[in-house]
Amino acid sequence: MPIPSFTGNANPYGGGDPYADYRTAEFPFSHFANLAARELGAGVIAANDEFFAQRENLLVAEAAHFDPEHFGHKGKVMDGWETRRRRGVSAEQPWPTAEDHDWALVRLGAPGVIRGIVVDTAHFRGNMPQAVSVEGTNWEGALAPTPEELLGDDVKWTTLVPRTPVGGHAANGFEVTVEQRFTHLRVNQHPDGGIARLRVHGEVLPDPQWLAALGSFDVVALENGGAVQDASNRFYSPPTNTINPGRSRKMDDGWETARRRDRGNDWIRYQLVAESEIRAVEIDTAYLKGNSAGWASLSVKTGEEGEWTEFLPRTRLQPDTNHRFVLDAPAVGTHVRIDIFPDGGFSRLRLFGSLTEAGTAALTARHQELGG
């Protein structure tokens, strides 16, 4: 099935709920983590123009806000990145050329393989770009590049989204099929206009040398290449929150399920960065007070077809508490499953250990194969 495409202007805002006529869809790549999340360290490091609205708004986690009465010295205040209107070179040629465009450079918070991109033009109804394109590059230097270095003639940019018309006040989704590792993006809007939010969904691919230098680390952390494969319930908040960096800051910064009315239990299944030896565990229920999971257990397996083996038996959890467990023997595998009983949630799962020889070899080979 093709991805829904939203082209053309939206109707002018007519009052009431500003999202009432917003156009969006379920994209096939939306279950992948957002590599451009500020929580992972992403940033918009440069833009050629941000006259009406700042480039940093592109990566704000919350949905774009719209206040119809909010005007500033430069015009309507918008929650996004908005450039001035481009003009031609003379009265005889007042229109911008086909090549004229505005751009922003985005540093991904976690380098990885991109599976899909959402260019969200929420509240940009008649002032969105006519078209967008997105390019990616993999910076291999030891130091983070400056904008000037990224714009140098020697940097190779790969097209991820070709120049494509977009719709105003819509989530414009693009599937990406390039099997490469990327660290930075160049987002182009043709010829000018406004974009509210940028989301870059994909798989984290860490640097094996960095993980080797760390020795022992969190083998399920999103920033280290861990991922959520599936979960029994996503009613209140996404399970990917449980492997985000840092401590939870509020209740919806973790994972919480709907209330069960049967005799079952809820669970999350994770894929580790590679085959690992797990030696210690943290299960944090921070900010989940009357709705934390009552008990939890952990199981491990190797490969998709492997058999689950329990390595942390069903254990009582306390609300709003970080629980720490040192394992008697390492748990070895590529996948981990947490079962919570009967429902509820927790904020973070940390699995501390190191890669096995097989895990190191597999990660190194994939890193080299994808251009790392």
Side-chain angles (χ1 to χ4, degrees):
M1 244 184 111
I3 291 179
S5 178
F6 307 105
T7 56
N9 291 5
N11 292 325
Y13 176 63
D17 179 5
Y19 274 103
D21 57 346
Y22 176 68
R23 292 169 289 172
T24 187
E26 288 293 327
F27 299 119
F29 49 76
S30 59
H31 63 285
F32 290 104
N34 178 19
L35 305 183
R38 284 291 294 165
E39 293 82 359
L40 286 175
V44 187
I45 62 175
N48 71 305
D49 187 288
E50 46 187 330
F51 186 87
F52 287 112
Q54 295 175 325
R55 65 184 191 261
E56 288 88 354
N57 290 331
L58 283 172
L59 305 188
V60 172
E62 293 77 20
H65 174 71
F66 181 72
D67 181 353
E69 305 299 327
H70 193 187
F71 286 83
H73 294 294
K74 293 182 178 180
K76 182 73 187 73
V77 175
M78 296 294 290
D79 185 7
W81 169 48
E82 186 180 6
T83 66
R84 72 194 80 197
R85 299 188 189 216
R86 281 185 170 269
R87 298 295 185 234
V89 296
S90 67
E92 290 71 31
Q93 294 293 328
W95 308 280
T97 69
E99 291 74 32
D100 286 343
H101 67 278
D102 293 319
W103 53 264
L105 296 177
V106 177
R107 178 191 65 246
L108 297 180
V113 182
I114 298 169
R115 300 304 182 192
I117 295 174
V118 177
V119 177
D120 191 340
T121 58
H123 315 304
F124 290 97
R125 296 168 177 267
N127 53 346
M128 76 290 182
Q130 182 183 38
V132 300
S133 61
V134 182
E135 303 159 281
T137 191
N138 183 48
W139 184 264
E140 297 181 4
L143 299 177
T146 66
E148 292 74 21
E149 288 174 322
L150 284 173
L151 295 171
D153 293 336
D154 57 337
V155 176
K156 178 187 175 183
W157 291 93
T158 300
T159 298
L160 305 179
V161 178
R163 183 169 175 167
T164 307
V166 293
H169 196 45
N172 300 273
F174 306 94
E175 197 160 17
V176 176
T177 58
V178 180
E179 288 290 325
Q180 292 182 37
R181 180 183 190 261
F182 294 102
T183 60
H184 294 77
L185 301 184
R186 184 162 62 187
V187 180
N188 306 303
Q189 47 179 341
H190 308 268
D192 53 38
I195 298 171
R197 297 288 188 266
L198 176 73
R199 303 292 185 245
V200 183
H201 298 277
E203 303 172 53
V204 176
L205 183 58
D207 183 348
Q209 288 187 325
W210 173 253
L211 297 184
L214 292 179
S216 185
F217 59 94
D218 183 358
V219 298
V220 76
L222 180 60
E223 60 187 332
N224 292 333
V228 169
Q229 281 196 315
D230 201 2
S232 61
N233 190 283
R234 304 165 186 258
F235 191 87
Y236 284 113
S237 45
T240 302
N241 284 352
T242 62
I243 54 174
N244 274 345
R247 300 292 300 277
S248 175
R249 298 166 297 168
K250 50 193 174 73
M251 191 173 71
D252 66 351
D253 193 16
W255 175 58
E256 183 187 358
T257 72
R259 299 192 187 207
R260 275 190 172 267
R261 302 307 188 198
D262 58 19
R263 306 293 290 181
N265 73 282
D266 287 313
W267 51 266
I268 303 175
R269 187 171 70 244
Y270 302 92
Q271 180 172 318
L272 308 182
V273 55
E275 186 181 73
S276 306
E277 288 188 354
I278 303 165
R279 292 184 288 274
V281 172
E282 284 188 2
I283 303 174
D284 194 352
T285 59
Y287 295 99
L288 293 153
K289 299 181 179 181
N291 48 0
S292 66
W295 293 262
S297 65
L298 289 168
S299 302
V300 67
K301 71 174 182 177
T302 299
E304 293 290 350
E305 305 304 320
E307 294 290 328
W308 290 109
T309 301
E310 188 176 75
F311 66 93
L312 182 71
R314 192 179 304 186
T315 303
R316 188 77 168 93
L317 300 181
Q318 299 299 322
D320 196 28
T321 301
N322 191 24
H323 308 76
R324 290 179 171 175
F325 309 93
V326 176
L327 304 181
D328 293 333
V332 179
T334 58
H335 297 72
V336 164
R337 170 178 167 137
I338 185 168
D339 286 273
I340 63 170
F341 301 89
D343 56 19
F346 60 97
S347 61
R348 295 289 188 270
L349 175 67
R350 306 297 188 208
L351 303 176
F352 296 104
S354 56
L355 300 183
T356 64
E357 288 188 15
T360 299
L363 180 61
T364 301
R366 186 162 188 255
H367 190 262
Q368 293 173 343
E369 176 188 353
L370 296 176

